[in-house]
Each structure stands twice: as C-alpha cells, then as structure tokens.
Amino acid sequence: MWGRSGSVAYDVASVRGLYTSLSDGWTYLNAHDCPQIPERVSAAVARSFRLAPSVPVPEGHTGSHSLKTLGRPEADNLLEGARHAVADLVGAGAECVVLGPNLPVLYSALVAAMGPQFRSDSTLVVSPLDRPEITAALNTANVQVREAHADLGTGEAPAWQYQELVDGTTRLVSLPAAHPQLGAVTDVAGIVDVARGRSRAWVVVDASAYAPYYCVNFDDWGADIIGVDLGQLGGPQLSALVFRDSAMFNRLATDPLRMAGFGVAPGLAGGAPTLVDHLANLEPAPEGRSTRRARLIASMDELSSYLRGLRDDLYTFLGTWPDVHILGASGEAAAGANMERLPRLTFGVQGVPATTVHERLFDNGIITTLTTPTPLLTDMGLEEMGGAVTVGLGPFNTYADIEQLIRVVASLA
C-alpha cells in the first residue's frame, strides 16, 4: 500500500477488516486510552467463558501427564494457554509468566514477595514516567523510595542520573518502556547498564505502552522483569509479570503463581492466545514453518514501519502550526532532541481550552481524549496551557485519519 509516508508492505485495509467496531463511523485516535478490540479476540473471550467450567474429553491414549489433569476443568488449559501467549509476546518461557488482574496489583504483590530481600537501609527507584497507580503500588514497599527526574522540555528520563540514584542498597528499579501520553520512549538498555554496574537490583519494565507498536525482547533491554497490560494491546483486561529466569522465584517469599493474591478469570485468559495470534498475523506469515514468536516479530516489524510513517506525518503537520504546542516536542527546550517516540502525542492550541478542542474533534467524528493530569505533565505546563488532548494511533489508522485530524485542528489554530 502506498501513502504520503512512502511505500510499505503493510495492508492496512485488510487489518481494518479485523475490527468490526470500525464500522460505526467514528475515527478512533484513542488507542492510548481505549484500544479497539479485534473481533476474534472478543469472540475468543466469549467462547472461553462458556468452556471454562466444562471438562475436556479425555484423549484416546493417556499417559502420566494426562492423568494429572484428568477431570480438571478447561479453565486450567485456558490459563496455561495465556501464559504461553504472553511468553511468546515478550520472548520468554511460559514458566516465567505470572498472571494477574492488572499491573498495580502485580507490582504490589511483587514488592511484598521481595520482602526477604529488603533490609532497613534498602532503596527502590521509581520513574516519573511511570503511571501514578504503578508508583503508588511500589510505594507500599517498606523501604526508602528514590525518584528519578524527567527533562521538562522533552519528557525524557535520562539514563545518566541513575548513576546517583542506584547503589549497593538498591533492590528494585522500576521504569516504563515509554510514556503512555507523551509517547517518549525510554532508554531502557542504558538505564539497565547503569543499574547493573552499580548494584544487583532487579529492573522491572512496564512495556504496556510500548508493546502495541514494537516487538518486546528481553535481550534488547536486559531487564529482569517485564510487565504488560494486555488490555492496552486490545486484549482482555488481564496483565502479567514475566521474569527473565524462573530461578528468580527462589528469592521471593510467595508462590509466584499466586503472587497477585487474586484469581484470574479463565474466560479472560482465553482471549490472550487469540490476541497474540492476531498481532502475529497482521501481515502474512513468512514462508515455511514458523513459530508464533517468529511470526510476531515479522508482523510487528511491518506494523512498526507503517505507524512510524504516520507518526512522522502527525508530528510534522501538527508541529507546523505556531499556535499548536506538543508537550515534549515543541519549544526551544525540545529543539534538536534526538529520541524515539511512539505514534502518540499530547497537544494544546494556544488560546483555545482543551475541552473546546476535544469537542470540536468529536463533532467531526474523531475520538481522542482529554489528557489526564499527572505530576510530570503538570510540571511540564499542562494546566497552564489550558489542558491538552492526547492522540494515540492503532494498527488500523490511516493517513486519511491524520488528514482529518489536521483539518479540524487547523480550523482552531
């Protein structure tokens, strides 16, 4: 398919057909807040809720492994399937995956389970780019909490500052792979390198904002734990912590499979494999036999390339209007900044309240969101500019969607 951004192999028309919700006439630019759910995923969840209490028919030839699950409900298989799907999503083993209802619950459970590692002088490092609910969960640890700082011009948390934040007392370092509203991508590998050189702390990375656009790989980051909210990818309301090595469980005070303290609905878990299959099949599979992980890597590479072009157009054309301010990208403080950004941004129009911008977009059939204030966004001047609107692209968005957004904003600017 050809577009203003160049020639790409990504077939967005076919991808749009996988989302029946797009037939309602709205232009959805709110993937950061409420991702559209593929039809196959919603159907898989409905089917899983029906099947969860039932008992599978025994296989014709049973062995010792089959006897262990004889008479057990299908729910057990659904949970196991979800662990394998999340493992393929991040490039890990299924035995390293801990499921939970959401990431704040899992993070709270993690710091509780790490109790034996915490001493009276232990420290934990959090990031200003973390979602407030994640930071609140980490603050339940009975240790000293140190907070990194962000560049108020770009929204980036530089890796160099961790030289001062991390030392021999540090037991856990938390950071997101990207800011969910600003779109600023974190130098995870750089921060991990600093942490490795100064401590034996575990580094936990929230990949929820990053994973909808790029393939996640443990080796690329070097992290110890990766958190992911499947709901942010258009999947069921289910989250997971994935450990680099199951041997890490030996250092936890709690059985990792029950670490969250709450059961996961098997019906929701049943949608996880279909979600990962959906992402792996956005583009035709490579020739020959291939694993789901291999198909996922190839598919996400095509998606990343396509959305990178839309992102560039979005930033370029919105940035040309002098009355439009893009948080973290406009102004002298951000000029010349060389950093990767997701196809997301948060902007305001000078002299126009954000509620007016949001309503004008809505009146023209465009779904965005009013930006939710956070301490970082407040420090960057969110309230001073009269609020802002956040835009997040999904796998189904087109250049026509970007043009429509630009035309409406131009009528205000």
Side-chain angles (χ1 to χ4, degrees):
M1 179 177 176
W2 289 81
R4 282 280 295 274
S5 301
S7 175
V8 294
Y10 187 75
D11 187 357
V12 68
S14 296
V15 171
R16 289 179 65 84
L18 304 176
Y19 296 82
T20 58
S21 57
L22 300 182
S23 62
D24 61 11
W26 296 107
T27 296
Y28 289 102
L29 297 178
N30 64 336
H32 60 284
D33 179 66
C34 188
Q36 297 303 299
I37 301 173
E39 178 62 24
R40 289 183 59 202
V41 174
S42 59
V45 170
R47 183 174 62 253
S48 298
F49 270 105
R50 291 196 305 269
L51 293 176
S54 65
V55 175
V57 177
E59 299 178 5
H61 299 283
T62 59
S64 58
H65 294 290
S66 298
L67 290 173
K68 293 179 182 179
T69 59
L70 190 64
R72 296 295 302 163
E74 183 67 23
D76 291 355
N77 294 329
L78 295 174
L79 292 169
E80 186 64 19
R83 292 189 188 97
H84 280 277
V86 172
D88 284 343
L89 184 66
V90 303
E95 71 280 1
C96 299
V97 177
V98 178
L99 300 176
N102 56 62
L103 281 185
V105 167
L106 284 169
Y107 273 60
S108 294
L110 174 63
V111 296
M114 290 181 65
Q117 301 181 47
F118 293 146
R119 303 179 186 278
S120 58
D121 62 342
S122 294
T123 60
L124 183 154
V125 180
V126 299
S127 169
L129 308 186
D130 269 328
R131 289 178 288 163
E133 57 268 30
I134 293 292
T135 301
L138 293 169
N139 278 325
T140 60
N142 189 25
V143 295
Q144 178 188 350
V145 177
R146 298 172 178 171
E147 184 171 356
H149 295 283
D151 185 317
L152 299 184
T154 64
E156 177 189 17
W160 55 261
Q161 66 183 307
Y162 286 82
Q163 291 280 1
E164 299 295 330
L165 293 168
V166 178
D167 57 29
T169 68
T170 308
R171 296 295 178 263
L172 188 68
V173 177
S174 171
L175 60 147
H179 191 281
Q181 295 164 305
L182 298 175
V185 175
T186 306
D187 180 12
V188 175
I191 294 173
V192 170
D193 284 345
V194 173
R196 289 282 180 273
R198 298 188 58 79
S199 75
R200 298 178 62 185
W202 286 354
V203 180
V204 54
V205 180
D206 178 6
S208 301
Y210 183 93
Y213 307 108
Y214 300 100
C215 196
V216 178
N217 193 319
F218 258 103
D219 293 337
D220 291 344
W221 288 340
D224 297 287
I225 307 169
I226 292 177
V228 60
D229 181 346
L230 298 187
Q232 293 298 304
L233 284 80
Q237 299 302 308
L238 179 72
S239 296
L241 288 182
V242 188
F243 290 72
R244 173 176 41 80
D245 191 330
S246 60
M248 296 169 65
F249 293 160
N250 296 329
R251 298 179 61 188
L252 299 176
T254 311
D255 177 359
L257 295 182
R258 293 177 173 79
M259 197 171 67
F262 295 91
V264 173
L268 293 177
T274 307
L275 170 66
V276 178
D277 287 338
H278 165 79
L279 295 173
N281 295 326
L282 291 175
E283 280 296 298
E287 294 184 4
R289 296 173 62 88
S290 60
T291 64
R292 179 166 58 186
R293 175 66 180 174
R295 290 186 286 112
L296 182 70
I297 292 172
S299 179
M300 293 301 290
D301 282 348
E302 293 292 346
L303 173 63
S304 299
S305 178
Y306 172 73
L307 288 180
R308 193 176 294 118
L310 293 188
R311 175 207 62 191
D312 291 346
D313 289 335
L314 182 63
Y315 273 88
T316 297
F317 291 114
L318 270 184
T320 59
W321 297 101
D323 290 334
V324 173
H325 181 81
I326 303 173
L327 279 176
S330 298
E332 294 182 2
N338 183 22
M339 59 183 298
E340 179 69 15
R341 291 189 180 276
L342 303 179
R344 298 179 177 182
L345 57 74
T346 294
F347 74 97
V349 179
Q350 184 176 350
V352 182
T355 52
T356 301
V357 178
H358 182 253
E359 290 171 3
R360 178 71 67 85
L361 291 169
F362 182 80
D363 289 341
N364 283 269
I366 302 174
I367 306 300
T368 57
T369 63
L370 285 170
T371 306
T372 303
T374 66
L376 172 60
L377 296 181
T378 295
D379 290 344
M380 293 179 72
L382 178 66
E383 280 86 354
E384 295 174 10
M385 58 189 285
V389 170
T390 300
V391 170
L393 304 186
F396 47 80
N397 284 123
T398 66
Y399 183 76
D401 298 338
I402 304 300
E403 283 188 318
Q404 185 182 0
L405 173 72
I406 299 302
R407 283 197 299 269
V408 176
V409 175
S411 70
L412 291 165

